[in-house]
Amino acid sequence: MNAQTQRTAVVTGAGSPRGIGLATARRYAQEGWAVVLTDLNQAGVTQSGDVLKNDYDVPVLALACDVADPDSVRAVVEAVAASDLPPVGAVANVAGIPSPSSFLDMSLDEWNRVIAVNLTGSFLVAQAFVPQMIEAGYGRVVNMSSVTAQHGGGVFSKTGYAAAKAGVIGLTKGMARELAQYGITVNAIAPGVVDTDIRVGSDEDNEKKLSAAVPLGRQCRPDEIAALYVWLSSEDAGYITGTTQSINGGTYVC
Ligand SMILES: NC(=O)c1ccc[n+]([C@@H]2O[C@H](COP(=O)([O-])OP(=O)(O)OC[C@H]3O[C@@H](n4cnc5c(N)ncnc54)[C@H](O)[C@@H]3O)[C@@H](O)[C@H]2O)c1
């Protein structure tokens, strides 16, 4: 174990090889955190775990988990408790799904799933680990919102996604107020367009158009989001709570 490894970060949605979750887990490991990677995609998260174990001298645990399923989240908590990892000091809620359907076309099933994964999943995972943070005397929760929440729909995902990601901002503010008494901070990140595989079916032409529409002229890299997650989890960021950190290349300036 790396001599500096004193805390564990739990990262959801870490099973996509080009995704924000794996980039975030990698950055925690680079900075000496032990890491628990979780994802709905069992093969993907196992592969991500193997990559980190190979590249970094920190403890790594890779577990399948559906963040929208309380039993699945409970199983992760039990596996972490049964491990010899250091105390959980950070939860990085990254798992999420898009929702390209327009308001009039959206089925109730799609609505429920988008809310369940993006919003309820963040609630369940944070609620499962915060008691340990209170006990250990250190805690950071970083949730994933989106610029879509700020301007009400985007180029790819629409109203259902905007509602779920706006819910994440409310969840973040409420948790920040309630958990401040324990010294636990809670913040959200609201990215613009990030270069990952989330936009299933988007072709090269569309991706070029998305990049051109960003004032900085390019999409965000996953490692840029990862750096923000890890910094918000640091001791240096201990006086920042209840905020939504925009990282969008100037797409939405408020
Ligand atoms: N890429 C973007 O442009 C962008 C912009 C703003 C916000 N976001 C948000 O960032 C997060 C990461 O997205 P990404 O771009 O890396 O996408 P991605 O599709 O590469 O990664 C998302 C990961 O979440 C996992 N996942 C899906 N449902 C899950 C569930 N129920 N339980 C656990 N894991 C589940 C997927 O298997 C996948 O590995 C998402 O919350 C997304 O909404 C992305």
Side-chain angles (χ1 to χ4, degrees):
M1 188 186 296
N2 181 317
Q4 292 180 334
T5 303
Q6 292 163 2
R7 293 182 182 125
T8 298
V10 177
V11 182
T12 71
S16 178
R18 288 192 349 103
I20 297 166
L22 176 55
T24 300
R26 178 183 287 284
R27 184 68 185 241
Y28 278 113
Q30 269 169 2
E31 301 207 6
W33 290 71
V35 187
V36 177
L37 300 91
T38 70
D39 201 286
L40 184 63
N41 175 350
Q42 178 146 24
V45 78
T46 302
Q47 205 174 356
S48 296
D50 289 345
V51 169
L52 290 202
K53 281 175 199 160
N54 192 49
D55 291 355
Y56 302 98
D57 180 25
V58 295
V60 172
L61 190 60
L63 301 165
C65 174
D66 180 350
V67 295
D69 175 358
D71 291 339
S72 184
V73 172
R74 211 169 295 123
V76 170
V77 174
E78 284 166 11
V80 173
S83 73
D84 55 3
L85 292 175
V88 172
V91 166
N93 277 316
V94 181
I97 52 171
S99 174
S101 300
S102 62
F103 170 68
L104 288 176
D105 292 337
M106 190 175 209
S107 69
L108 181 58
D109 280 351
E110 183 180 345
W111 169 270
N112 285 339
R113 188 66 185 161
V114 168
I115 298 290
V117 177
N118 292 291
L119 177 55
T120 311
S122 303
F123 157 72
L124 287 174
V125 177
Q127 196 191 46
F129 283 103
V130 162
Q132 298 178 29
M133 295 178 174
I134 293 173
E135 201 177 323
Y138 187 92
R140 305 279 188 258
V141 178
V142 187
N143 294 321
M144 179 59 93
S145 183
S146 166
V147 69
T148 306
Q150 296 165 316
H151 63 46
V155 282
F156 189 71
S157 277
K158 298 195 168 59
T159 301
Y161 184 78
K165 293 300 193 184
V168 169
I169 294 175
L171 172 72
T172 300
K173 289 182 178 177
M175 285 177 63
R177 281 186 180 277
E178 290 194 39
L179 299 178
Q181 63 186 305
Y182 305 109
I184 291 172
T185 68
V186 187
N187 292 285
I189 294 177
V193 185
V194 189
D195 182 17
T196 72
D197 295 328
I198 198 169
R199 289 176 294 281
V200 180
S202 175
D203 60 19
E204 205 182 318
D205 208 34
N206 189 47
E207 290 298 307
K208 275 192 190 150
K209 279 189 203 148
L210 291 179
S211 303
V214 178
L216 277 177
R218 66 171 177 88
Q219 299 189 11
C220 188
R221 298 188 314 270
D223 64 282
E224 292 174 303
I225 309 287
L228 192 47
Y229 265 98
V230 178
W231 183 72
L232 286 169
S233 303
S234 71
E235 294 194 10
D236 282 348
Y239 204 63
I240 300 173
T241 195
T243 68
T244 298
Q245 303 284 325
S246 293
I247 172 163
N248 60 37
T251 300
Y252 182 79
V253 180
C254 54

